[in-house]
Amino acid sequence: MLAMGLAQGTAVAGPSSPAAGTGARAAAADDPYTQAFLTQYGKIKAASNGYFSPDGLPYHSVETLMVEAPDHGHQTTSEAVSFWMWLEAAYGRVTGDWAPFNAAWAVAEKTIIPQHADQSTADSYNPSSPATYAPEHPLPSGYPSALDATVKVGTDPLATELASSYGTMDVYGMHWLMDLDNVYGYGNKPGTGGESGPGAGASFINTYQRGAQESVWETVPQPTTDLFKYGGPNGYLDLFVDDASYAKQYKYTNAPDADARAVQAAYWAYRWASAQGKASDVSASVAKAAKMGDYLRYAMFDKYFKRVGDCTDPASCPAASGRDSQHYLLSWYYAWGGAAAGSGGGWAWRIGDGASHQGYQNPLAAWALSNVPSLTPKSATARSDWSKSLTRQLEFLTWLQSSEGAFAGGCTNSWEGSYSKPPAGTPTFYGMAYDWQPVYHDPPSNNWFGFQAWGMERLAAYYHETGNATAEAVLSKWVAWASSETTVGADGSFRFPSTLNWSGQPDTWNAASPGANAGLHVTVVDYANDVGVGAAYVKTLTYYAAKSGDEDAAALAKALLDAMALNATDKGISVPETRKDYNRFNDEVYIPDGWSGTMPNGDTIEPGSTFIGIRSWYKDDPDWPKVQAYLDGGAAPTFTYHRFWAQAALALAFAIYAELLVEGGSEPGGDTEPPTVPAGLTVTATTSNSVSLSWSASTDNVAVTGYDVYRNGVLAGNATTRTFTDPDLAAATEYSYAVAARDAGGNTSALSAAVTATTKTGGSTGTGAVKIQYRNSDSNSSDNQIRMGLQVLNTGSAPIDLSTVKVRYWFTADGGPSTFGTYCDYAALGSSNITHSVVAVSSPKTGADRYLEVGFTGGAGTLAAGASTGELQLRLNKSDWSNFNESNDYSRATNTAYADSSKVGAYVAGTLAWGVEP
């Protein structure tokens, strides 16, 4: 048992303790760590402390004079918003009040998630031509970069599926950066798609457009919707892209780690609210997170949808179709844009990114999006994408773990951002080149210990929820290394690694036999006591200790948490930091020769401009004299910052420690009673590659929070409801299943009585309940092609093996030859997984002497209950290209939006399952 460490008198200012009857946990705020959470929460939410803008968004920091990833403290990032969502989820667990969590999502939708007015020409997007290629360059001086239409780009396999799922071509993701006080003066306000200039209100902005060496000190900020009102004659566009002419446009950039954290926050909210019997209170917000996770899959694709692996020349690297461009990792960004409203253009673009950093991966989010029904996205292929991403992320972390235990940088499918050839001997991960400093180089991206702590916190949370053996092995090695480099003094001082140095490289990845990475090493250059990083580190140790029982990790988590709590301020918890890097305020910002323009406040942008020269308003900041004195030769200035993400992370560290190591049983008075054993385990359905199960509810003295499903004695997955489908199994194979219940304290019941299930031979179809939706893709009924869109929906309660499904569209040949050409121009499942041919009807009927039969290969997989295949874009022609008369065709209709069609038939295992034959 661990003794309490927070001093008496640490609690509690701010929100009141939860009232009886709220459905919150049993130990309602009586322990000092929950009290510390409420105190920290109260400081963050107190209006007088200045954490939130008038629009209700969290600032990056309370203080304004700050240059790091954002270049002003009163900007915000999607990262801060995602921490806000998680903070409110933790508050809901403690108090039973879920209104603040829902409010965070509502504010995000009105502000940082671009509305339709902010991406008004999204309907013009062509998935077959996602974007025009422009190479990246190592230095800002390599820009503007010339567009090169001769380099082939691949096909976007997500867009049509997403549009079908949500009824819009708009992208649902957070833009990464906003100027909440409109300090720059663009006035690019959410919901307007324009530039209203200086004045109150938040503004979309963007930075970082010029290669890996461009640091925050070398950026030229610009509005996301560039209407040429500021900058030069072409706005800011010709600083970044060299083109024959320029069009007014919008462009947004998504930070995938932030959107994944928002999903993570929604998972916790759902889990905790469910334990309180309040799942319905958060269901709408959880559905928004699932939708965000659907679009977040763009982070899994190469930037220009080129083939993943061995892509070392822009001209010869193939443009991909289907899933060949998908690497299944969380890359550094995805982005989208298009013509500004009223600009006279109708075009839009989307890109992914081939560079992936270890610190951006989120196994917990991937697991939740592929295993928790309430978080499963609507799109047909989303669940399988996230399931494969989970496996790939775990492999990625295993590949990058050094001999000591820390994680090296990452990989890229596009060396130097231009599909160049990596140096000889560079190891690879699924054909992608190892990069010790992926994405940015000033400073090297993987030298910051924070990326270690951030990434491991997510892995540890996943391990805590699932007990995954790979996660446990990776974590145990990392925890041992990090712990050996951490000290906590008797006086409350503490330190852990800050800057890391890397040598050697990992072994080329072999999934069947991973290497030991004997030549990959990390050393610690210096140490720090950053409280935000410390909070992530404590969460990692807490999740790991609660699941593994590692008492040393639990003790270190407690010691660090207690030491950080001693640094309380009126606004939160913070330690002073000396900013030697502020000598860079006078750094030159590269501007090409001959280019000139102005910022909204009149600052000139021209060759020789400096960081402060195009941000002269900084000299009006109350803290500027400290910086000026440093620039004049004095000592480096010291600041005590209150970054929102760090303060929220500290609050969460208190809450999670209280939940898992106080309430969870490692501290006196914790919950040690396991739930009752699940009863009534039943096999409800089988297919050739899946087994579906259900069971009766367990009970617990506090609350049951989930169930662990074991296949042949090994954990197969987790469920928050009393049903589970185990996918990707072998056909005609017997499996044994048992289920255990668990509670919020980490207690697990004994296993239920086992049941056996045998998957069917190939061709099993589950319930066989499907329907067909159709749209007419060609208004001309007398031309030489028949064009249509079809999608199959599983209306049953079990997965369907798509290889057993056939779809028939009946038509008349209207004379001419008896041979036909058939084509699948696009399929959300991949065109290569779709079969199509014309078959003659044995006994012709009115309106039907032929039918187009559409089927699926084994590669299409299964269609989950309630899911859709997404759009299939199909067409056919006679071999002599003579005209049809479609007006009398049985299956043809005139609707141009998808609708149920009873005149298009669906057959499952040869039996008509939908529609009326002619």
Side-chain angles (χ1 to χ4, degrees):
M1 294 292 184
L2 299 174
M4 293 294 185
L6 284 179
Q8 294 298 316
T10 303
V12 67
S16 60
S17 297
T22 61
R25 57 175 183 78
D30 293 334
D31 70 86
Y33 293 97
T34 300
Q35 292 285 329
F37 163 73
L38 289 169
T39 298
Q40 182 74 356
Y41 181 90
K43 290 179 179 180
I44 293 170
K45 297 301 289 286
S48 59
N49 281 337
Y51 279 96
F52 286 84
S53 75
D55 293 293
L57 283 164
Y59 290 122
H60 177 66
S61 71
V62 171
E63 298 75 23
T64 53
L65 199 157
M66 175 184 285
V67 182
E68 38 199 43
D71 60 18
H72 187 258
H74 275 198
Q75 293 169 9
T76 198
T77 59
S78 53
E79 167 192 277
V81 174
S82 66
F83 272 103
W84 177 30
M85 293 169 172
W86 192 2
L87 176 72
E88 301 296 9
Y91 182 73
R93 185 191 79 85
V94 171
T95 67
D97 181 3
W98 293 100
F101 173 73
N102 294 325
W105 273 96
V107 170
E109 285 197 315
K110 291 180 180 178
T111 54
I112 202 164
I113 299 173
Q115 300 168 52
H116 178 69
D118 303 314
Q119 47 181 323
S120 57
T121 58
D123 286 344
S124 301
Y125 178 61
N126 179 5
S128 298
S129 182
T132 302
Y133 171 76
E136 296 174 25
H137 301 280
L139 302 174
S141 58
Y143 290 80
S145 181
L147 294 171
D148 187 352
T150 66
V151 174
K152 294 181 178 179
V153 301
T155 299
D156 170 0
L158 296 184
T160 304
E161 179 182 77
L162 290 165
S164 174
S165 296
Y166 301 103
T168 178
M169 286 294 279
D170 294 351
V171 172
Y172 190 83
M174 291 189 281
H175 176 64
W176 86 279
L177 186 63
M178 295 185 72
D179 180 3
L180 296 187
D181 289 349
N182 198 23
V183 174
Y184 277 106
Y186 297 121
N188 191 174
K189 296 180 180 180
T192 68
E195 293 175 292
S196 58
S203 174
F204 285 120
I205 61 170
N206 219 338
T207 58
Y208 296 108
Q209 302 283 303
R210 302 187 296 183
Q213 193 62 35
E214 183 185 40
S215 78
V216 64
W217 299 102
E218 299 167 292
T219 56
V220 181
Q222 74 268 194
T224 58
T225 302
D226 197 331
L227 302 180
F228 302 172
K229 188 173 181 179
Y230 305 109
N234 301 307
Y236 295 85
L237 301 179
D238 50 353
L239 286 172
F240 313 118
V241 175
D242 183 15
D243 199 2
S245 62
Y246 296 89
K248 297 174 182 178
Q249 59 188 267
Y250 61 86
K251 45 193 173 72
Y252 298 100
T253 304
N254 179 275
D257 73 317
D259 281 32
R261 190 183 293 108
V263 170
Q264 182 180 341
Y267 166 71
W268 293 122
Y270 176 74
R271 176 148 123 36
W272 293 328
S274 297
Q276 298 169 351
K278 293 186 173 185
S280 61
D281 286 12
V282 299
S283 59
S285 296
V286 171
K288 294 173 184 178
K291 180 179 179 180
M292 184 174 283
D294 221 342
Y295 287 85
L296 182 56
R297 292 182 294 154
Y298 273 114
M300 300 180 186
F301 287 84
D302 174 74
K303 182 173 182 177
Y304 292 105
F305 299 94
K306 282 181 169 286
R307 183 191 66 192
V308 167
D310 305 314
C311 194
T312 57
D313 175 76
S316 62
C317 179
S321 61
R323 303 293 168 162
D324 290 345
S325 60
Q326 192 168 8
H327 49 69
Y328 294 97
L329 299 171
L330 286 179
S331 59
W332 195 255
Y333 67 88
Y334 73 81
W336 72 103
S343 64
W347 51 272
W349 56 267
R350 298 180 191 179
I351 57 175
D353 185 23
S356 296
H357 193 293
Q358 62 84 14
Y360 261 36
Q361 307 312 302
N362 194 324
L364 181 71
W367 170 77
L369 289 164
S370 56
N371 285 275
V372 178
S374 293
L375 272 166
T376 302
K378 288 183 180 180
S379 293
T381 61
R383 183 177 181 272
S384 59
D385 278 348
W386 281 111
S387 179
K388 188 167 183 176
S389 176
L390 173 59
T391 300
R392 190 63 54 88
Q393 289 183 47
L394 294 174
E395 290 180 315
F396 189 54
L397 294 173
T398 302
W399 176 59
L400 291 171
Q401 191 161 35
S402 65
S403 297
E404 293 76 20
F407 295 91
C411 67
T412 180
N413 195 53
S414 178
W415 190 257
E416 294 189 335
S418 56
Y419 301 105
S420 301
K421 189 173 181 62
T426 299
T428 57
F429 179 78
Y430 287 98
M432 296 179 286
Y434 168 67
D435 189 348
W436 72 276
Q437 52 173 355
V439 186
Y440 66 85
H441 298 168
D442 183 11
S445 65
N446 201 49
N447 283 16
W448 182 50
F449 177 74
F451 275 135
Q452 303 283 320
W454 271 3
M456 288 303 94
E457 171 261 303
R458 300 169 194 137
L459 182 67
Y462 166 68
Y463 166 62
H464 181 269
E465 294 300 282
T466 68
N468 179 270
T470 299
E472 181 180 28
V474 168
L475 273 166
S476 62
K477 189 174 180 180
W478 186 89
V479 168
W481 166 76
S483 299
S484 72
E485 298 284 356
T486 303
T487 56
V488 182
D491 60 352
S493 62
F494 60 97
R495 71 170 205 170
F496 38 74
S498 177
T499 306
L500 307 177
N501 189 50
W502 298 92
S503 62
Q505 55 188 19
D507 302 320
T508 287
W509 177 250
N510 180 344
S513 181
N517 287 347
L520 176 63
H521 298 286
V522 63
T523 55
V524 179
V525 176
D526 55 35
Y527 298 82
N529 59 350
D530 182 298
V531 292
V533 173
Y537 187 10
V538 166
K539 287 185 283 181
T540 303
L541 294 168
T542 301
Y543 285 127
Y544 175 70
K547 188 66 175 180
S548 68
D550 188 321
E551 294 185 1
D552 291 337
L556 181 56
K558 183 179 186 305
L560 283 169
L561 202 53
D562 292 352
M564 288 190 292
L566 297 176
N567 294 278
T569 71
D570 291 341
K571 291 180 171 63
I573 295 173
S574 187
V575 296
E577 52 191 274
T578 300
R579 295 300 300 259
K580 294 182 179 180
D581 61 322
Y582 281 4
N583 63 357
R584 299 189 66 177
F585 267 95
N586 285 326
D587 273 15
E588 182 175 338
V589 174
Y590 174 75
I591 304 296
D593 288 340
W595 199 99
S596 65
T598 57
M599 301 294 285
N601 70 341
D603 287 344
T604 300
I605 317 168
E606 60 187 3
S609 290
T610 62
F611 178 91
I612 189 64
I614 61 173
R615 299 168 175 86
S616 62
W617 39 261
Y618 247 133
K619 294 184 179 182
D620 297 326
D621 193 283
D623 283 327
W624 178 255
K626 297 165 64 174
V627 177
Q628 187 63 59
Y630 180 40
L631 297 175
D632 291 340
T638 297
F639 292 86
T640 301
Y641 284 127
H642 295 84
R643 298 171 180 85
F644 182 90
W645 76 264
Q647 298 305 309
L650 283 160
L652 289 162
F654 287 126
I656 292 165
Y657 185 85
E659 177 193 11
L660 301 182
L661 294 182
V662 179
E663 301 162 37
S666 293
E667 291 275 1
D671 175 20
T672 59
E673 182 177 332
T676 60
V677 177
L681 180 61
T682 303
V683 178
T684 57
T686 60
T687 71
S688 61
N689 62 1
S690 70
V691 171
S692 296
L693 307 165
S694 70
W695 55 90
S696 300
S698 295
T699 59
D700 185 64
N701 63 316
V702 179
V704 175
T705 58
Y707 297 88
D708 301 325
V709 182
Y710 289 83
R711 179 202 321 118
N712 297 340
V714 177
L715 185 68
N718 313 90
T720 54
T721 62
R722 293 180 289 108
T723 60
F724 180 79
T725 296
D726 192 16
D728 303 324
L729 303 175
T733 303
E734 183 178 277
Y735 296 93
S736 174
Y737 290 91
V739 179
R742 54 183 158 74
D743 63 19
N747 304 302
T748 305
S749 74
L751 288 172
S752 69
V755 297
T756 58
T758 301
T759 52
K760 295 177 180 175
T761 57
S764 171
T765 62
T767 62
V770 298
K771 71 175 180 179
I772 304 300
Q773 291 186 334
Y774 158 88
R775 72 175 178 90
N776 188 318
S777 303
D778 183 3
S779 59
N780 190 341
S781 63
S782 58
D783 59 7
N784 59 11
Q785 292 193 80
I786 298 176
R787 299 172 182 266
M788 76 205 72
L790 299 174
Q791 51 190 15
V792 182
L793 287 79
N794 181 353
T795 59
S797 59
I800 292 178
D801 185 342
L802 281 171
S803 67
T804 68
V805 177
K806 300 290 186 184
V807 179
R808 292 181 183 177
Y809 176 95
W810 287 279
F811 67 99
T812 54
D814 304 309
S818 59
T819 54
F820 297 80
T822 61
Y823 315 89
C824 180
D825 294 322
Y826 172 77
L829 299 174
S831 297
S832 61
N833 290 320
I834 311 302
T835 63
H836 36 86
S837 62
V838 170
V839 179
V841 175
S842 56
S843 299
K845 308 289 194 304
T846 301
D849 56 21
R850 303 285 194 283
Y851 57 83
L852 172 66
E853 184 168 77
V854 181
F856 302 86
T857 69
T862 58
L863 186 63
S868 165
T869 59
E871 184 171 34
L872 313 178
Q873 295 179 6
L874 300 152
R875 58 188 169 92
L876 63 96
N877 59 266
K878 303 175 198 178
S879 59
D880 67 352
W881 291 91
S882 59
N883 288 344
F884 292 96
N885 174 19
E886 297 180 61
S887 61
N888 63 348
D889 288 353
Y890 178 79
S891 294
R892 185 178 188 270
T894 58
N895 54 289
T896 57
Y898 276 104
D900 295 354
S901 176
S902 62
K903 291 189 175 183
V904 179
Y907 299 78
V908 178
T911 300
L912 182 66
W914 167 266
V916 179
E917 294 179 334

